[in-house]
Amino acid sequence: MLFPFVRRKKTAPAPAQNAAPSRAQALEFIPVINSSIDVEHRDKGSCRLHYELALKPWFVRAHERLRKAPFPPQKKTLELDEIGSLVWSLIDGRHSVGAIAKTLGETYELEAREAELSTSTFLRELGRRGLIALLPPQDPSHREPK
């Protein structure tokens, strides 16, 4: 310590307000599809998702200032295999992440933990790209199908 006679006042750590949900809570979230996604169903159960790339606002403004023209929308395509297409078809605003993982596990004979991990990783990637959003489980307008 540089100055041993100067001490910082000890304070209790602030409680985490945006703490990550537990595994059980995360499996109760309900994924919903972004309405601007175009889906193209292909043969053998695969499908393609066409979506507009979200760019940083400062980048778009800089381009428009330098080019003196509006920035053209950038389109991306994501091709899903049979498993990804199955998960995509189950994202209907009613099935929770846990229910989707359970269906995936039953269909492809996976262990429950493996199905949950695969499903959550896939949904996280879709969310990162802006293709889906996760609704909290408290929302009473969305119910798990029986």
Side-chain angles (χ1 to χ4, degrees), residues 10-139:
K10 292 185 180 182
T11 59
Q17 293 183 4
N18 291 334
S22 69
R23 180 173 158 257
Q25 291 170 334
L27 291 175
E28 293 176 2
F29 277 78
I30 300 167
V32 291
I33 296 175
N34 184 338
S35 61
S36 66
I37 308 299
D38 295 325
V39 180
E40 174 188 342
H41 295 282
R42 307 194 28 107
D43 58 342
K44 298 181 184 174
S46 66
C47 68
R48 282 187 182 166
L49 309 177
H50 303 281
Y51 62 98
E52 196 169 310
L53 185 63
L55 298 172
K56 303 286 184 190
W58 64 266
F59 182 78
V60 174
R61 285 193 305 271
H63 179 273
E64 290 174 349
R65 284 185 183 177
L66 293 173
R67 296 284 181 160
K68 305 285 190 230
F71 194 79
Q74 303 293 312
K75 287 286 218 175
K76 295 280 280 186
T77 301
L78 178 65
E79 184 145 0
L80 303 178
D81 61 1
E82 182 181 343
I83 297 172
S85 297
L86 171 67
V87 173
W88 182 261
S89 69
L90 292 171
I91 302 174
D92 58 3
R94 295 180 310 182
H95 290 88
S96 68
V97 174
I100 293 172
K102 183 178 178 185
T103 303
L104 182 70
E106 290 170 353
T107 304
Y108 292 100
E109 299 176 2
L110 301 173
E111 295 290 327
R113 182 75 173 131
E114 184 180 3
E116 289 170 4
L117 183 63
S118 298
T119 303
S120 63
T121 303
F122 180 65
L123 293 177
R124 186 178 304 119
E125 180 62 26
L126 292 177
R128 189 185 66 74
R129 293 175 185 237
L131 303 178
I132 65 165
L134 292 173
L135 295 179
Q138 303 87 286
D139 194 350

